[in-house]
Amino acid sequence: MAERKYDVLAIGNAIVDVLAQADDAFLVSEKLVKGSMHLIEADRAETLYDTMGPGQLISGGCAGNTAAGVASLGGAAAFIGKVADDELGHFYRHDMQSVGIAFPAKPLAEGAPTARCLILITPDSERTMNTYLGACQELTPADIDKATVEAAEITYLEGYLWDPPKAKEAFRTASEIAHGAGRKVALTLSDSFCVDRFRAEFRELMRSGVVDIVFANNHEVLALYETSDLATGIESLAADVDLAAVTLGAEGSLVVRGAERITVPAPEVETILDKTGAGDLYASGFLFGLARSAPLGRCAELGSLAAGEIISHLGARPQASLRSLAEQERLLAGLAA
């Protein structure tokens, strides 16, 4: 086995987030479904950007957010995603590297511009995402750096990136390299709309052993198994994958491994300002704990802590040191270096 250099390698869409406040009337006027993620074209991105309120610019993307969370916990993180050789692409790379995340993928020299996601946050803290994928869709197997994958304890794949055919090949390439090096592979289902598009393929990835660990919320589990009963979905999930972490909103999270079930309560957050990235940061805490050989319950507690920090402010990147918060809660005691 190659020497471990990273706790987590995250592979996904490299997207610059633009966050703005909006009311329900604005969503209705723009024919947007609250809480969903809409894929849009470049002209729609420009039109919506012109009509939305003042925005805050942050590097984002689900897998990128997870990598940032791992870094904030004091872990070693890497990220593979495609940006263009443009202003937003340079911003994204600098933003990631400034918090210590390795970024080995080369930029796209010509073609589509760097992806951006216009995130509208309503007063109830729900976020409605409108994503122009741009250069994201150009990720190929050639971008999967073998040495980086082999050196990562866990490779984490973003379900949103399953759309482009070349990215699917990249996912399978990364999984083969990781398993060949004796490492683990995780997949996040991303959202229920994504599951609806790729239900059969996601199941195949789990059942064939391409992925060892799955992250999902309760809605995604229901969509994956086409059931209205969560218990039924959980049992199916347990049969299909070695390990799963299911977030349950205000009810916390559930860790599933074979017949084992571990429930961890949701974090206590005084004021919830923005739920953007809650699942991404939950994954960061859980994966960090898992990479450091923490018990599964502790992994879920680290996930809850990270998610709690992220929903207390705007944006999907930590504003407080997650490591300091975890140390205060004595969640890092006894973990492997």
Side-chain angles (χ1 to χ4, degrees), residues 243-301:
L243 176 64
V246 181
T247 53
L248 307 170
E251 296 180 22
S253 64
L254 175 68
V255 183
V256 180
R257 182 174 61 181
E260 187 177 10
R261 306 288 183 270
I262 302 171
T263 302
V264 171
E268 294 184 9
V269 180
E270 189 171 317
T271 303
I272 298 176
L273 291 181
D274 176 17
K275 296 178 182 178
T276 305
D280 306 335
L281 270 292
Y282 177 89
S284 72
F286 193 101
L287 290 168
F288 172 79
L290 197 62
R292 299 296 178 96
S293 303
L296 292 179
R298 180 92 64 88
C299 292
E301 290 173 344

Side-chain angles (χ1 to χ4, degrees), residues 124-312:
D124 58 1
S125 300
E126 282 290 348
R127 79 270 194 240
T128 303
M129 298 182 289
N130 304 272
T131 305
Y132 168 59
L133 293 174
C136 278
Q137 300 177 91
E138 301 302 322
L139 187 77
T140 73
D143 294 307
I144 303 302
D145 183 71
K146 185 173 185 287
T148 301
V149 177
E150 290 179 335
E153 187 71 20
I154 304 169
T155 292
Y156 176 74
L157 308 174
E158 179 184 323
Y160 279 137
L161 195 55
W162 195 247
D163 276 292
K166 290 181 181 178
K168 291 182 182 183
E169 295 176 27
F171 271 27
R172 293 187 182 277
T173 297
S175 177
E176 289 173 6
I177 295 170
H179 286 145
R183 307 300 191 183
K184 295 294 185 182
V185 177
L187 169 72
T188 173
L189 300 187
S190 293
D191 78 8
S192 55
F193 294 96
C194 187
V195 173
D196 287 338
R197 293 197 301 277
F198 302 115
R199 181 179 293 109
E201 291 173 83
F202 284 167
R203 288 179 182 174
E204 186 272 333
L205 290 174
M206 296 157 57
R207 293 169 180 170
S208 65
V210 173
V211 299
D212 311 294
I213 306 158
V214 164
F215 289 87
N217 63 30
N218 52 327
H219 303 296
E220 292 155 7
V221 172
L222 296 177
L224 184 64
Y225 294 105
E226 298 180 280
T227 179
S228 59
D229 180 60
L230 184 59
T232 298
I234 293 297
E235 293 308 308
S236 297
L237 188 63
D240 282 348
V241 73
D242 294 341
L243 176 64
V246 181
T247 53
L248 307 170
E251 296 180 22
S253 64
L254 175 68
V255 183
V256 180
R257 182 174 61 181
E260 187 177 10
R261 306 288 183 270
I262 302 171
T263 302
V264 171
E268 294 184 9
V269 180
E270 189 171 317
T271 303
I272 298 176
L273 291 181
D274 176 17
K275 296 178 182 178
T276 305
D280 306 335
L281 270 292
Y282 177 89
S284 72
F286 193 101
L287 290 168
F288 172 79
L290 197 62
R292 299 296 178 96
S293 303
L296 292 179
R298 180 92 64 88
C299 292
E301 290 173 344
L302 283 164
S304 291
L305 177 139
E309 192 282 336
I310 217 68
I311 64 177
S312 68

Side-chain angles (χ1 to χ4, degrees), residues 35-164:
S36 63
M37 194 282 286
H38 307 265
L39 291 176
I40 58 177
E41 298 299 328
D43 55 349
R44 172 60 171 154
E46 292 180 7
T47 301
L48 186 59
Y49 181 76
D50 288 341
T51 56
M52 62 192 283
Q56 178 184 2
L57 205 67
I58 305 172
S59 58
C62 295
N65 294 338
T66 298
V70 171
S72 184
L73 281 161
F79 174 77
I80 292 177
K82 205 70 172 177
V83 297
D85 189 10
D86 57 16
E87 185 175 354
L88 285 182
H90 298 160
F91 167 82
Y92 192 96
R93 182 179 294 275
H94 175 268
D95 218 28
M96 297 290 277
Q97 293 177 334
S98 70
V99 295
I101 299 169
F103 196 144
K106 295 180 180 179
L108 187 65
E110 56 184 27
T114 297
R116 70 289 313 267
C117 182
L118 309 179
I119 302 175
L120 301 168
I121 305 164
T122 42
D124 58 1
S125 300
E126 282 290 348
R127 79 270 194 240
T128 303
M129 298 182 289
N130 304 272
T131 305
Y132 168 59
L133 293 174
C136 278
Q137 300 177 91
E138 301 302 322
L139 187 77
T140 73
D143 294 307
I144 303 302
D145 183 71
K146 185 173 185 287
T148 301
V149 177
E150 290 179 335
E153 187 71 20
I154 304 169
T155 292
Y156 176 74
L157 308 174
E158 179 184 323
Y160 279 137
L161 195 55
W162 195 247
D163 276 292

